[in-house]
Amino acid sequence: MRIAAFNGSPKGRSSATYLLVEAFLEGASGKNAEVVHHVLSEKDISHCKGCFGCWLRTPGRCVIKDDMRELTKELITADLAVLAFPLYVDDVPGLMKDFLDRLIPLLDPHFERDPQGESRHVRRYESYPRLVIISNCGFPERSHFQVVSHHFRRIARNMHTDVLEEIYLCGGGMLTMPSPLAAPFKNRYLRAMKRAGREMCEKGVLTERTRKALKRPLIPERLYFEGVNRGFDSILSHSK
Ligand SMILES: Cc1cc2nc3c(=O)[nH]c(=O)nc-3n(C[C@H](O)[C@H](O)[C@H](O)COP(=O)(O)O)c2cc1C
């Protein structure tokens, strides 16, 4: 099994997203899986120009010469694509959106009806990777992921595939806190991520135990809410 992860955090290797993806891939590697972690912030990815050259002039190939040529190939040859990003303004950061927009050469422009009777583009490839979505956000409630959850289900439908798992972590910034006080809950969560990677490879699905562990907040919601406000007060009082 080939697993390709695409990390859309603008913070690259210093992001919570990076830690989450690394743990997932560590769990998956060695279980007959070949894994690769693409840090999109280190790549040259232009905005889609909207020229439809990839459909009409050079079918299947974008006219822009940048790292998306390699990344598109990496995605389409994977069995599982991990799409990972922090929540920005209730959705994906612009970096991830640029990456997603640039995937349209993977489809043929013709219209067809999907099994629900809705229009979509015809497949260009025999198979498309199944998706695992990993995200983290600043607020403490899981409801903040409503938009991305819907967004990626729509993307999967249009891309002739499905979303195998969605892993959402609230208050994810705590993963990158240097304080030793953060170590126990950080390690607990990353262990569950590692288990998720292993289970995904071995069973193609997560156990309920792992799903539950990944849904558990790092610390109780009220403590986090109050702690964040105290942290902001402290930082802002020094910046005056
Ligand atoms: C521009 C911007 C927009 C954000 N929007 C949201 C948001 O809508 N909801 C939320 O809960 N967190 C939001 N956040 C917080 C990030 O999701 C949070 O800091 C996250 O832990 C960053 O993850 P990373 O370290 O993987 O990049 C936003 C952060 C930035 C910089």
Side-chain angles (χ1 to χ4, degrees), residues 111-123:
F111 288 5
E112 66 173 13
R113 300 270 181 217
D114 76 4
Q116 288 82 23
E118 206 178 8
S119 304
R120 69 173 171 190
H121 296 291
V122 168
R123 61 171 69 233

Side-chain angles (χ1 to χ4, degrees), residues 64-146:
I64 304 170
K65 290 189 183 123
D66 64 8
D67 290 335
M68 277 309 291
R69 291 214 163 154
E70 173 223 337
L71 292 169
T72 311
K73 206 160 114 206
E74 284 286 308
L75 183 122
I76 197 63
T77 54
D79 300 295
L80 196 75
V82 176
L83 302 177
F85 53 88
L87 197 71
Y88 272 21
V89 194
D90 286 305
D91 210 322
V92 296
L95 175 61
M96 180 50 99
K97 187 62 170 62
D98 279 336
F99 171 78
L100 294 169
D101 290 348
R102 294 285 303 283
L103 296 180
I104 67 157
L106 294 176
L107 296 169
D108 172 292
H110 294 90
F111 288 5
E112 66 173 13
R113 300 270 181 217
D114 76 4
Q116 288 82 23
E118 206 178 8
S119 304
R120 69 173 171 190
H121 296 291
V122 168
R123 61 171 69 233
R124 188 181 293 283
Y125 292 86
E126 209 169 292
S127 69
Y128 290 80
R130 302 184 81 186
L131 306 179
V132 169
I133 312 302
I134 297 178
S135 187
N136 84 100
C137 78
F139 286 135
E141 302 88 8
R142 297 183 63 75
S143 51
H144 292 278
F145 293 108
Q146 278 167 356

Side-chain angles (χ1 to χ4, degrees), residues 17-192:
T17 303
Y18 188 79
L19 297 176
L20 294 167
V21 171
E22 281 289 294
F24 184 89
L25 294 182
E26 193 188 329
S29 61
K31 302 280 163 203
N32 279 338
E34 188 192 325
V35 303
V36 57
H37 187 168
H38 297 287
V39 179
L40 299 185
S41 61
E42 296 172 359
K43 307 283 180 183
D44 175 23
I45 302 175
S46 300
H47 305 300
C48 170
K49 294 155 151 335
C51 66
F52 292 121
C54 63
W55 277 353
L56 306 174
R57 287 206 301 279
T58 51
R61 201 173 140 112
C62 180
V63 299
I64 304 170
K65 290 189 183 123
D66 64 8
D67 290 335
M68 277 309 291
R69 291 214 163 154
E70 173 223 337
L71 292 169
T72 311
K73 206 160 114 206
E74 284 286 308
L75 183 122
I76 197 63
T77 54
D79 300 295
L80 196 75
V82 176
L83 302 177
F85 53 88
L87 197 71
Y88 272 21
V89 194
D90 286 305
D91 210 322
V92 296
L95 175 61
M96 180 50 99
K97 187 62 170 62
D98 279 336
F99 171 78
L100 294 169
D101 290 348
R102 294 285 303 283
L103 296 180
I104 67 157
L106 294 176
L107 296 169
D108 172 292
H110 294 90
F111 288 5
E112 66 173 13
R113 300 270 181 217
D114 76 4
Q116 288 82 23
E118 206 178 8
S119 304
R120 69 173 171 190
H121 296 291
V122 168
R123 61 171 69 233
R124 188 181 293 283
Y125 292 86
E126 209 169 292
S127 69
Y128 290 80
R130 302 184 81 186
L131 306 179
V132 169
I133 312 302
I134 297 178
S135 187
N136 84 100
C137 78
F139 286 135
E141 302 88 8
R142 297 183 63 75
S143 51
H144 292 278
F145 293 108
Q146 278 167 356
V147 173
V148 280
S149 179
H150 190 67
H151 192 172
F152 279 94
R153 283 161 192 276
R154 296 286 325 181
I155 290 173
R157 199 165 147 177
N158 289 331
M159 292 281 287
H160 301 262
T161 184
D162 59 354
V163 175
L164 265 183
E165 288 290 342
E166 297 169 82
I167 300 173
Y168 297 132
L169 171 64
C170 298
M174 285 195 298
L175 288 186
T176 53
M177 269 172 39
S179 161
L181 291 175
F185 54 76
K186 171 176 158 176
N187 293 340
R188 191 195 69 214
Y189 199 86
L190 294 178
R191 271 199 308 275

